[in-house]
Amino acid sequence: MLAFSGSPIYLPMCSRYSLTSPPEAVRATFAYRDTPNFPIRYNIAPTQDIGVVCVDADGQRRFRMMRWGLLPSFVRDPKAGPPMINARAEGISTKSAFRSAFTERRCLVPADGFYEWTGPKGARRPFLLRPRKGGLIAFAAIWERWRDRAGGEIDSVAIITCDANATVTPLHDRMPVVLRLEHFEAWLDCKTTELKAAQDMLQPAPDDLLEAIEMHPQINDSRRDEPGIQQPLQTQLLL
């Protein structure tokens, strides 16, 4: 339980996360065929290319790099408007921007933590939400392939959010959907998993899954992603 005064600021969620686990550990957890050698990331931000686990036409799990910020197929200009980094679980199966991807292109985003902030503008306090027992987590996500008139393609992804659990609520009213390992196969199987079953997976994580650690304000700068940036404050606000 977090202990601090002040009200949370309600901003887009999830807007920053980390993947510091080595490639071998990520591959072992997510069981994809590829053997990518991607760098450790402490401070992943929207519009960057991120690692995504999806299935190919043969139903095999694959690791792909995609732009974080969904581009629906009907968008004319990929630079127009803010990126759709999140998709709300509520109504995802009916909203035009997400309906097709939710039905046909569900995926997983590997992570081992995500960030959220609280406090007034200009004095925002960053927190890292990470598994209490360590290890990897999987965000439920959807992806889309956008094509321009010249034949160019951009694969892009949005992380699905739901109501916050008790751990996240002091910081934000939303959180990314964290899927359990036993749900990976059904979530990725867009051919046989019924949409209602997929929708039912989009629930807040158990209250005891995550812990919140206050970070040094240096993590606020999305341009910084070097070793040591993920530094907790000496004064912990955990009870």
Side-chain angles (χ1 to χ4, degrees), residues 52-57 66 70-74 87 92 95-109 139-147 154-160 186-191 193 195 198:
V52 173
V53 179
C54 54
V55 295
D56 60 19
M66 299 186 186
L70 192 79
L71 287 173
S73 58
F74 55 77
I92 193 173
K95 293 181 180 178
S96 59
F98 307 131
R99 180 176 58 241
S100 177
F102 179 67
T103 302
E104 303 176 9
R105 288 174 294 279
R106 297 191 297 271
C107 58
L108 302 169
V109 173
F139 299 145
I142 54 175
W143 71 277
E144 188 63 83
R145 176 162 292 165
W146 182 86
R147 295 181 174 88
I154 299 176
D155 288 344
S156 60
V157 61
I159 294 171
I160 301 174
W187 174 256
L188 293 172
D189 184 359
C190 297
K191 293 183 178 179
T193 299
L195 288 184

Side-chain angles (χ1 to χ4, degrees), residues 17 29-32 50-55 61-64 66 105-111 137-143 157-159 177-181 183-185 187-188:
Y17 73 96
T29 298
F30 288 84
Y32 44 77
I50 66 174
V52 173
V53 179
C54 54
V55 295
R61 293 187 195 178
R62 309 303 299 264
F63 181 93
R64 296 286 183 261
M66 299 186 186
R105 288 174 294 279
R106 297 191 297 271
C107 58
L108 302 169
V109 173
I137 52 177
F139 299 145
I142 54 175
W143 71 277
V157 61
I159 294 171
V177 173
V178 179
L179 290 179
R180 300 199 301 266
L181 180 64
H183 286 163
F184 286 10
E185 184 173 356
W187 174 256
L188 293 172

Side-chain angles (χ1 to χ4, degrees), residues 18-22 26 39-44 111-113 115 136 230:
S18 66
L19 181 59
T20 60
S21 301
V26 180
I40 288 174
R41 297 291 312 278
Y42 303 94
N43 198 9
I44 302 171
D112 44 35
Y115 300 101
L136 285 149
Q230 206 176 50

